[in-house]
Amino acid sequence: MTVDGTTKDRATKDRVTKDRTAADGAARTVTPARAAEELELRREEFRLAVRMGLIRTAPDPDPEGPSRHRGSGRDRAPERRPVTRAELDRLKAAPDFPDGLRERVRAVGAGEAAGLLSITHDRFARLARTGHLSPVRFYLNRYRAVVWLYVAAEVTAFGEAHPALLSGRLPTEVRERALTEDLRARNWRSRHLSLLLRGADDPWARAAAIASLLDPVQIAEVVDDPYERSHLDRLRPAPPPGFPVAGPSREIADRLVRADDPDEILWQRMSLALALDEARAARQAPYPGERPRPAAEPARISVASTVPPAVAGAPEAAVVAAPAVAGPAARPPARPRGRAGRPPGRASRSRRPGLLERIRRSLPGGTAGSGWGERRDWG
């Protein structure tokens, strides 16, 4: 009786201790909505502050759990994660709180930005089109026209750093480039990607962020494994705030999100290939019905990549993972194409020809042996 009573008391104490620990852990974090309220930020301002790294959110407690595998990883964006009480105390302790935090995330349109620089709207548009200023957000108005938004603090800093561009005649190069090119969408994509990569804590999530800037045809040419493409699609980041849901506005927004310039497409394809090498070194993409295995600690990949040369003037550069090469022995073994390393006892599936291959076979002169890697000149 004494032993049984002691055991029961000990079990009760352990349960109470566990419940208190869980309650303390929950009390140390708050929901994003509560954090935005305490920081006196609107929802859009809070999201932007998290993406810019001004507010640190708590890491995902189970980034590779079953819910993530089912596709809810999109709901684990940094701005949807809880915020620790210590982070809120740190932000509230700033001497300029809350006005300073709100000013650092305040987004303004072209007209208000031109007013901050005391220049005309046309002059500001030329500077933005030529890549001197990078948009941080966009939305479509009732007429389906794209409205670009800029960080007010960055606009003011640009005016202080380049006073010569705010008065007098613009340089000839700027005036000529403004007539033939518009880098606003490209600079926004570069900045958007850098914000996504900053909040991604998993190599496959980083690869999915890069893939979100390419159309499905480009992704299929880089990622020939259907299991990997499916995994990247499940981890695809959520659209930016205010993204249209459907209709013609959605089509316009989709064109803005995806790379369209040939050298930008090539850059993102190379970045995706490097990110895939890092992800494969950590673990393979799961098969349907499998729970992802915990990631092995890979050889740390150096973050050493910048925006394409055409947007070198953008204030925010997209960072892409690239393998760190320290010699032949330091390079991890390359993962073979396809699903060569199958688990024991799993039958190998015959791969169905891709769409491009089937089209080639249906054309006059197409042969059964033509494949992805064969190049044809149809004259």
Side-chain angles (χ1 to χ4, degrees), residues 162-184:
H162 304 87
L165 295 176
L166 306 182
S167 60
R169 190 174 179 83
L170 283 173
T172 305
E173 179 185 3
V174 175
R175 286 185 279 110
E176 292 178 351
R177 289 174 54 199
L179 297 175
T180 59
E181 66 183 10
D182 187 354
L183 297 178
R184 288 176 295 185

Side-chain angles (χ1 to χ4, degrees), residues 39-41 94 96-103:
L39 296 176
E40 302 183 26
L41 296 175
D96 58 350
F97 177 82
D99 296 335
L101 181 59
R102 281 203 301 260
E103 182 63 24

Side-chain angles (χ1 to χ4, degrees), residues 59-345:
D60 190 347
D62 188 13
E64 296 301 335
S67 62
R68 179 107 177 194
H69 179 58
R70 289 195 299 268
S72 63
R74 301 180 184 184
D75 296 336
R76 291 295 186 177
E79 64 270 17
R80 294 178 180 267
R81 299 174 185 173
V83 182
T84 62
R85 178 60 60 182
E87 178 67 7
L88 294 178
D89 295 340
R90 181 187 69 85
L91 295 169
K92 292 180 180 180
D96 58 350
F97 177 82
D99 296 335
L101 181 59
R102 281 203 301 260
E103 182 63 24
R104 287 192 290 273
V105 297
R106 184 166 68 96
V108 296
E112 190 173 353
L116 292 175
L117 297 177
S118 300
I119 60 177
T120 63
H121 187 281
D122 180 67
R123 192 183 190 95
F124 180 85
R126 293 185 180 185
L127 294 174
R129 289 173 63 92
T130 52
H132 289 83
L133 290 149
S134 177
V136 70
R137 281 184 54 205
F138 75 88
Y139 68 90
L140 273 65
N141 61 15
R142 67 177 67 182
Y143 306 106
R144 299 191 188 122
V146 181
V147 179
W148 297 103
L149 300 177
Y150 306 83
V151 178
E154 293 181 359
V155 174
T156 304
F158 171 80
E160 296 174 353
H162 304 87
L165 295 176
L166 306 182
S167 60
R169 190 174 179 83
L170 283 173
T172 305
E173 179 185 3
V174 175
R175 286 185 279 110
E176 292 178 351
R177 289 174 54 199
L179 297 175
T180 59
E181 66 183 10
D182 187 354
L183 297 178
R184 288 176 295 185
R186 183 170 180 174
N187 280 351
W188 174 83
R189 286 191 294 268
S190 175
R191 182 171 197 158
H192 178 62
L193 178 59
S194 69
L195 298 180
L196 291 177
L197 294 177
R198 180 181 298 164
D201 52 2
D202 176 75
W204 281 103
R206 289 192 287 270
I210 300 173
S212 66
L213 271 62
L214 295 170
D215 62 58
V217 176
Q218 301 290 341
I219 297 175
E221 292 181 356
V222 178
V223 190
D224 58 355
D225 191 328
Y227 295 100
E228 292 181 345
R229 290 201 300 271
S230 177
H231 191 50
L232 291 176
D233 185 65
R234 286 194 297 269
L235 297 179
R236 179 182 294 271
F243 203 79
V245 178
S249 298
R250 177 60 183 260
E251 297 177 2
I252 298 174
D254 283 336
R255 289 197 297 267
L256 293 175
V257 170
R258 292 174 180 170
D260 55 1
D261 196 73
D263 62 334
E264 183 187 5
I265 294 175
L266 177 60
W267 182 272
Q268 299 301 348
R269 284 170 59 112
M270 294 173 60
S271 301
L272 177 58
L274 292 173
L276 283 175
D277 288 341
E278 178 188 358
R280 290 163 179 162
R283 66 183 177 281
Q284 292 188 354
Y287 287 85
E290 284 185 342
R291 175 172 175 171
R293 303 180 184 88
E297 187 66 27
R300 191 56 212 151
I301 305 300
S302 63
V303 179
S305 179
T306 56
V307 289
V311 270
E316 183 104 12
V319 278
V320 180
V325 180
R331 183 183 298 274
R335 180 175 180 266
R337 290 285 184 179
R339 305 295 296 197
R342 296 178 181 273

